[in-house]
Amino acid sequence: MNTPARVTVIGVGNEYRRDDGVGWAVVARLADRTRTRPLPGRTSLVVCDGDPARLISHWDGADLAIVVDAAHTHPGQPGRVHRLVMDDGRIAAADRATSSHGLGLGDAVELARELDRLPRRLVVHAVEGADCSPGTGLSAPVEAAAAHLAEQIATEVSRYHAGVGDP
């Protein structure tokens, strides 16, 4: 009997620092979506403040972990999404984006590798933010990116569970 893949979607950030809450907003959209269109298999949706130990505990044992976080780049383009994929235990990307709150994702990956607690596959979506000042609500370009990204991740998860393509 085949056991369905375990997939974890982790929204990272702080919902009280405007665009830094994009990860939480994407997870909230996915949770709302599951009321009418459930995600397949063993898919969990969680939010996290970005602490490396908590990230590791959320993705430990996952076949696929998808992390969504806010990012800063220079020059920036609010709402632009960078997709990074773990390759051989290292994050590889064409673009250089850094977390808006010193996420330490690289530290989490290194620690997880040393502890043999990496997910089988790790995909990171880093969304460039415009405003990480105190307050709630996303800027317009980040809100639009969050809506699109939630649907994109739902498709990635469905394709992964179906064994179609590589997310």
Side-chain angles (χ1 to χ4, degrees):
M1 179 168 103
N2 278 349
T3 303
R6 180 171 166 250
V7 175
T8 301
V9 180
I10 307 167
V12 176
N14 181 340
E15 65 182 332
Y16 298 109
R17 294 197 54 88
R18 303 202 184 276
D19 289 347
D20 190 47
V22 68
W24 290 45
V26 169
V27 167
R29 286 179 178 279
L30 286 167
D32 287 345
R33 180 190 183 282
T34 62
R35 292 187 186 111
T36 56
R37 296 176 288 163
L39 292 169
R42 300 183 311 152
T43 302
S44 60
L45 304 172
V46 297
V47 293
C48 178
D49 62 4
D51 175 76
R54 281 188 279 281
L55 278 169
I56 292 168
S57 71
H58 288 311
W59 72 41
D60 189 30
D63 296 298
L64 169 65
I66 299 173
V67 176
V68 181
D69 190 19
H72 287 299
T73 61
H74 297 285
Q77 182 180 334
R80 180 171 52 181
V81 179
H82 302 263
R83 186 172 187 273
L84 307 102
V85 179
M86 186 177 71
D87 183 25
D88 296 327
R90 301 212 189 304
I91 297 293
D95 302 307
R96 297 303 279 168
T98 59
S99 168
S100 63
H101 50 84
L103 168 67
L105 182 59
D107 294 333
V109 169
E110 282 298 313
L111 181 59
R113 185 165 7 121
E114 289 297 320
L115 298 172
D116 196 27
R117 293 179 66 190
L118 281 170
R120 187 173 294 165
R121 180 159 179 83
L122 175 63
V123 176
V124 177
H125 295 277
V127 182
E128 291 185 36
D131 179 6
C132 289
S133 64
T136 59
L138 303 175
S139 65
V142 174
E143 179 70 38
H148 177 73
L149 190 51
E151 287 305 315
Q152 182 181 337
I153 288 171
T155 300
E156 283 186 65
V157 169
S158 295
R159 289 177 58 87
Y160 189 82
H161 278 290
V164 179
D166 211 5

